[in-house]
Amino acid sequence: MFLTVHTAAGIIIGETVGNPWLAFLAGFISHFILDAIPHGDNTLITNRPKFAKNTIDLLVKLLIIDLGFLVLIFGALYLEGEILLTWPLIMAVAGTILPDFIQGVYFLTKTKKLEKYFAFHERMHTVMNGLTVSFRTGMIIQFSVLMILLFIIYLI
């Protein structure tokens, strides 16, 4: 899932869990639950964990677009007063995006200590009996999940 989707889940967790450390833990766990939903990145990147330069370029472009949407959507929510920057919210969001940053450290460094983590994180993407979807279908799924999460944010 894109960081935007994980962040939306983190906001919901942060707004409902009062303890920052529990919010962080719940956010961290939620990352893997969301990653279990087929979302198209397995078909986008086929040469894991050895990325070719064109794959790295694609990932950087997707990250920039994702971060742009993240800032726009959640900046608007903040400015509209829908969310408040509390410690539980900040910690939950940090927990939701940390797994992808750890994954990125592994991709860049191939640190042996992170190999089991990398394998676990990758396995979570196919936990639904290996079900995969195309990148296009994955974008529709991610957009749908994001819209549901944003609706929940407006409700709480």
Side-chain angles (χ1 to χ4, degrees):
M1 291 278 174
F2 284 121
L3 294 178
T4 305
V5 178
H6 290 299
T7 299
I11 288 171
I12 293 167
I13 293 165
E15 297 234 331
T16 56
V17 175
N19 181 301
W21 296 108
L22 286 177
F24 177 85
L25 180 61
F28 192 82
I29 292 168
S30 80
H31 181 100
F32 300 105
I33 294 168
L34 285 171
D35 273 357
I37 300 169
H39 54 278
D41 63 355
N42 282 356
T43 57
L44 177 69
I45 303 165
T46 56
N47 59 349
R48 298 175 192 215
K50 297 178 181 177
F51 292 140
K53 178 164 178 9
N54 63 337
T55 302
I56 293 171
D57 291 344
L58 175 63
L59 288 174
V60 168
K61 288 175 187 172
L62 288 173
L63 177 63
I64 290 169
I65 292 168
D66 188 22
L67 290 174
F69 278 114
L70 192 146
V71 169
L72 284 173
I73 292 169
F74 300 109
L77 286 171
Y78 175 74
L79 292 174
E80 290 178 10
E82 288 296 324
I83 59 174
L84 300 173
L85 295 180
T86 63
W87 278 113
L89 186 136
I90 292 166
M91 294 295 284
V93 168
T96 62
I97 63 176
L98 181 62
D100 281 342
F101 282 101
I102 295 172
Q103 200 80 330
V105 169
Y106 176 78
F107 288 145
L108 295 173
T109 65
K110 302 297 185 273
T111 302
K112 289 272 189 206
K113 291 180 179 181
L114 294 177
E115 282 180 354
K116 287 182 182 179
Y117 173 83
F118 171 80
F120 169 76
H121 195 170
E122 289 296 299
R123 198 167 40 257
M124 290 308 298
H125 286 88
T126 57
V127 76
M128 294 182 121
N129 295 323
L131 177 66
T132 58
V133 297
S134 69
F135 182 70
R136 183 172 296 178
T137 301
M139 293 301 93
I140 293 168
I141 291 169
Q142 290 195 61
F143 180 77
S144 300
V145 171
L146 179 61
M147 291 301 105
I148 291 166
L149 294 173
L150 289 174
F151 180 71
I152 293 169
I153 290 169
Y154 275 105
L155 290 178
I156 56 175

